[in-house]
Amino acid sequence: MENEFLWLKNDLDFVLDRIRKNIPVFYNKVPGAASHHLIYEATPNNYWTSSFWIGMLFLAKEITQTNEFDEVISVQMKSFQERLENKVELETHDIGFLYSLSAVADYKVNGTKTSRDLIVQAADCLMVRFNEKAGIIQAWGNLDDLNENGRMIIDGLMNLPLLYKASELTGNDVYKKAAIRHAKQTQKYIIRENNTTYHTYFFDRRTGEGVEGSTAQGYSDDSCWARGQAWGIYGFTLSYLHSGDYTFLESAQGLADYYISRLPVDNVAYWDLIFQEGSQQERDSSAAAISICGLLELAKQLPLSNSNRNRYEEAAIKISKSLSELYTTKGISEANGLLKHGVYDKNSNKGVDESVIWGDYYYLESLVRLSRSWNMYW
Ligand code: GLY
């Protein structure tokens, strides 16, 4: 690693050290979604965020090229098998996050045959949420919940790689077709003309017509929630990668351009992009970490002749350096997370200015992406 990138090596060492220290605490549990005073509690595997810990363990295994994480990975994998068998809190589109970072990662890193089956079973479970009429995967709640039936959210793009993978493994394109329809509906309804995004969009579940956009975690219905925009940059890029539909890459660029245009001086966006330099509102370091991964993948997917490649890569490196210098918990001995200044849900005062576990995962993924070539889990 060249001198210019010494910070990367230091950060990887810091992260590996934290992960090693965390193993006894989260051996057969997982860190909660958000820390409390920068400390995650050990919680059961029953939430949408439960896979980010095992995702970090797989990355640690890949970085170190050792077997030192195998035992805890196998305990965690068992828990994901049981969760699917017993359908524990799986009334959510986040089955994609949960089983990409467990089953898909295990299949890619270890080639485990049972994880191949788990991928397909998890994808089947996610497919139940696909509303054929509206062409969307219902985000939250059970299918009888009239307040949620017909609602999709921008985050859902990150759950589609599980479906693309299931089609690749089985040769059955039903999963991929659903994923592409969902991504197309996201593109049509969630992206506004100025390349900002709604957080959520409702469809009439009987006619399939789009009804209206609104927010849950953003500042207002017509503002642009920073993490949603970051999910969109990464998610549309992934749908391009798995479908070959170039319009998804164009959408990802539009979202990336808007996101970059709203960055304050230290390059880490406020929790909603309506806020700009000088605002007293909190930053969301997790949106920053997701955006780095999205921008790096976007740059990689663009044709060599496209001048945006360098621009996106440079933006990703600037955001990374800022996280490394100003937003990690390095030197805070009581903290057990990686990034500080994340925001889970400002509107309900949940995890505000704390570590959030997906922020930690994507921060590590971004370090891995910047330091080596990597066969991603998405
Ligand atoms: N996917 C949920 C969130 O970003 O808070």
Side-chain angles (χ1 to χ4, degrees):
M1 211 174 282
E2 291 168 34
N3 269 351
E4 181 193 352
F5 285 107
L6 252 188
W7 64 273
L8 257 181
K9 184 182 171 340
N10 291 339
D11 274 25
L12 282 166
D13 289 345
F14 153 69
V15 171
L16 287 172
D17 188 49
R18 268 282 146 84
I19 290 176
R20 287 185 178 110
K21 284 199 182 116
N22 279 341
I23 288 175
V25 184
F26 305 117
Y27 184 73
N28 55 2
K29 299 268 181 191
V30 299
S35 64
H36 186 60
H37 299 306
L38 297 183
I39 301 171
Y40 292 114
E41 284 176 10
T43 60
N45 177 355
N46 65 6
Y47 200 49
W48 76 270
T49 54
S50 299
S51 58
F52 293 109
W53 168 232
I54 190 172
M56 284 193 270
L57 294 168
F58 276 116
L59 291 175
K61 176 178 166 71
E62 294 210 72
I63 297 162
T64 57
Q65 306 259 295
T66 65
N67 296 332
E68 71 170 294
F69 302 95
D70 287 2
E71 186 183 315
V72 60
I73 285 175
S74 109
V75 170
Q76 293 282 324
M77 278 309 301
K78 193 159 176 290
S79 158
F80 278 94
Q81 260 150 7
E82 287 169 2
R83 182 165 175 182
L84 194 60
E85 268 163 35
N86 300 321
K87 298 274 185 300
V88 178
E89 302 293 333
L90 292 179
E91 301 275 17
T92 166
H93 66 158
D94 294 316
I95 296 164
F97 279 112
L98 293 169
Y99 287 89
S100 289
L101 291 182
S102 56
V104 176
D106 191 40
Y107 189 58
K108 287 197 174 178
V109 175
N110 294 325
T112 316
K113 164 80 180 70
T114 48
S115 285
R116 182 201 179 281
D117 300 338
L118 199 59
I119 294 169
V120 180
Q121 286 156 15
D124 285 333
C125 190
L126 183 53
M127 281 297 287
V128 173
R129 303 182 69 77
F130 183 66
N131 179 318
E132 188 63 48
K133 249 214 151 106
I136 60 140
I137 295 164
Q138 181 182 325
W140 297 319
N142 67 46
L143 301 178
D144 312 324
D145 181 341
L146 295 185
N147 290 323
E148 294 301 340
N149 191 286
R151 194 213 288 254
M152 60 119 90
I153 70 174
I154 189 160
D155 326 23
L157 289 171
M158 293 302 293
N159 292 310
L160 304 181
L162 181 74
L163 299 181
Y164 292 121
K165 190 71 192 167
S167 275
E168 185 194 311
L169 292 175
T170 59
N172 181 350
D173 65 5
V174 68
Y175 309 96
K176 182 173 176 175
K177 278 187 172 156
I180 293 173
R181 274 193 75 199
H182 180 95
K184 279 279 172 205
Q185 292 293 71
T186 312
Q187 185 179 50
K188 182 170 173 191
Y189 289 98
I190 286 237
I191 305 179
R192 306 186 187 103
E193 266 187 19
N194 63 354
N195 286 319
T196 64
T197 47
Y198 288 110
H199 179 195
T200 90
Y201 211 94
F202 267 108
F203 292 76
D204 184 309
R205 65 186 187 287
R206 280 175 297 260
T207 65
E209 294 293 311
V211 179
E212 62 180 354
S214 61
T215 200
Q217 284 160 260
Y219 176 74
S220 63
D221 289 342
D222 53 6
S223 72
C224 183
W225 179 47
R227 192 158 66 250
Q229 192 83 358
W231 289 135
I233 297 168
Y234 201 176
F236 278 119
T237 303
L238 292 173
S239 265
Y240 162 71
L241 176 68
H242 293 292
S243 71
D245 181 334
Y246 196 79
T247 68
F248 292 141
L249 212 53
E250 289 168 344
S251 295
Q253 288 179 82
L255 267 57
D257 291 342
Y258 186 78
Y259 186 88
I260 292 168
S261 78
R262 303 295 291 184
L263 291 178
V265 172
D266 77 356
N267 292 302
V268 173
Y270 292 91
W271 67 275
D272 193 294
L273 300 180
I274 200 168
F275 306 116
Q276 283 193 286
E277 184 64 35
S279 164
Q280 297 306 305
Q281 294 282 329
E282 293 80 8
R283 313 301 175 103
D284 181 9
S285 59
S286 76
I290 297 159
S291 77
I292 300 167
C293 298
L295 288 167
L296 290 174
E297 190 59 38
L298 173 57
K300 193 166 142 193
Q301 294 306 324
L302 284 171
L304 286 175
S305 56
N306 190 316
S307 60
N308 279 338
R309 281 174 71 104
N310 283 347
R311 206 161 59 76
Y312 294 142
E313 206 171 280
E314 280 163 18
I317 291 172
K318 275 191 200 154
I319 301 169
S320 260
K321 283 187 170 165
S322 181
L323 287 183
S324 170
E325 280 166 27
L326 304 170
Y327 287 83
T328 73
T329 59
K330 274 176 269 185
I332 306 178
S333 57
E334 67 277 17
N336 60 5
L338 304 179
L339 289 182
K340 53 189 178 182
H341 303 317
V343 172
Y344 182 0
D345 186 356
K346 173 88 186 208
N347 298 333
S348 59
N349 199 24
K350 199 156 65 173
V352 177
D353 201 22
E354 289 286 349
S355 297
V356 289
I357 194 64
W358 58 89
D360 289 357
Y361 167 81
Y362 285 101
Y363 186 54
L364 177 53
E365 184 184 305
S366 72
L367 297 176
V368 169
R369 282 178 171 277
L370 286 168
S371 59
R372 66 205 68 216
S373 86
W374 175 63
N375 182 13
M376 67 180 160
Y377 309 150
W378 307 106

